[in-house]
Amino acid sequence: MAERGVALELAGVSAGYGETVVIENVDLTLSAGDTLSIVGRNGVGKTTLLATLMGHTTLHAGRILLDGIDIARWSVHRRVRHGLGFVPQEREIFSSLTVRENLAVAARPGHWTLASVFDLFPRLAERQAGRGDELSGGEQQMLAIGRALVGNPGVLLMDEPSEGLAPVIVEELVRAVRRLAATQGLTMILVEQNARLALALAPRTIVMDRGRIVHDGESAVLRDDPATLERLFGVAGR
Ligand SMILES: Nc1ncnc2c1ncn2[C@@H]1O[C@H](COP(=O)(O)OP(=O)(O)O)[C@@H](O)[C@H]1O
Ligand SMILES: [Mg+2]
């Protein structure tokens, strides 16, 4: 099998908000097509790491390579055009636009279209004429993911997609994320508070603590080692 290229590489990345450094000396490499979960307690810098990839923070040091090109000083817009997709923790959909309009404004040519998003999330297809502010939390989350997908990213970042959702909706999201993980060439980073879900959805999981990566390894190993999970994360098997 041909060796897969490196999709994303962080080297010595320190970043934060203004003078404040939140993430420190982060090294991380993902091959094209990889799915990675990030777990860690509240406030350890998971969102800040994703925000740094998108260009929403102050970079203090380090390199961020997307397909081998250093994007660390690029604008957010340019990163999106170059293939970074982001599903923010707050979802941030347009409340006065319909589902269809929310998708249409983000669409760029490629594999993912409104039709393929509606195929992934049949619930959104049913609600396509509904306004953003009429949607349930689960539907808003599906729309946030769909909106990132129609931008046809090579690297998709998702920040706590299951947060605050009912178990039955989480099941629907899990099915979708599994389909995405199996999509040829799509590289994914999934920040997830639910450790059980995080370990089940990605073959590799990193644990963050106080702005640093404190563990990086196979999810299966961590799954079978609740003591280490408890020590690193404080909520074994949750
Ligand atoms: N916009 C911001 N301005 C200043 N500090 C922030 C901002 N967002 C987050 N922080 C701080 O950065 C740290 C990490 O937060 P965050 O990345 O949101 O953690 P997590 O996603 O792991 O819960 C926290 O101490 C938080 O208070
Ligand atoms: Mg967060």
Side-chain angles (χ1 to χ4, degrees):
M1 211 169 79
E3 200 173 303
R4 290 174 299 142
V6 171
L8 186 67
E9 182 176 355
L10 286 78
V13 170
S14 297
Y17 305 93
E19 300 278 286
T20 311
V21 175
V22 174
I23 58 169
E24 271 191 277
N25 203 21
V26 169
D27 295 322
L28 185 64
T29 302
L30 273 88
S31 297
D34 279 1
T35 300
L36 171 79
S37 282
I38 302 182
V39 298
R41 297 178 181 89
N42 252 330
V44 297
K46 304 181 299 296
T47 294
T48 302
L49 178 56
L50 297 191
T52 298
L53 291 172
M54 293 310 299
H56 291 299
T57 64
T58 310
L59 185 77
H60 291 274
R63 292 184 309 148
I64 303 171
L65 304 182
L66 181 64
D67 294 327
I69 299 167
D70 195 342
I71 62 162
R73 283 176 174 77
W74 287 15
S75 68
V76 176
H77 182 67
R78 194 168 173 206
R79 295 179 201 216
V80 171
R81 271 198 330 232
H82 201 74
L84 270 184
F86 186 35
V87 182
Q89 198 164 0
E90 299 79 18
R91 294 160 193 162
E92 294 170 16
I93 63 171
F94 296 115
S95 55
S96 64
L97 299 186
T98 64
V99 166
R100 182 168 267 282
E101 288 165 345
N102 265 280
L103 293 172
V105 293
R108 286 160 19 100
H111 166 80
W112 289 99
T113 59
L114 272 65
S116 55
V117 165
F118 289 147
D119 179 59
L120 183 68
F121 294 120
R123 194 183 281 262
L124 277 189
E126 289 163 22
R127 305 283 280 125
Q128 59 182 286
R131 274 170 46 134
D133 56 7
E134 297 166 353
L135 303 177
S136 69
E139 289 163 350
Q140 288 187 3
Q141 187 62 70
M142 291 171 195
L143 180 53
I145 295 170
R147 188 188 49 191
L149 287 173
V150 295
N152 281 289
V155 178
L156 179 65
L157 315 174
M158 281 192 270
D159 200 353
E160 302 209 23
S162 76
E163 193 184 21
L165 302 180
V168 54
I169 303 296
V170 172
E171 285 308 314
E172 272 183 57
L173 284 177
V174 163
R175 268 197 298 279
V177 170
R178 284 195 201 284
R179 261 177 78 178
L180 294 178
T183 302
Q184 191 91 35
L186 180 65
T187 307
M188 272 200 307
I189 300 183
L190 178 69
V191 167
E192 182 52 65
Q193 264 294 312
N194 181 325
R196 185 185 54 79
L197 213 55
L199 295 172
L201 283 173
R204 175 182 170 202
T205 296
I206 66 173
V207 184
M208 291 184 68
D209 191 22
R210 279 169 283 179
R212 292 172 180 272
I213 295 176
V214 293
H215 177 91
D216 182 348
E218 282 180 42
S219 304
V221 173
L222 212 49
R223 202 156 49 221
D224 295 338
D225 185 1
T228 299
L229 194 57
E230 170 76 35
R231 177 173 57 77
L232 291 170
F233 191 33
V235 282
R238 192 163 64 123

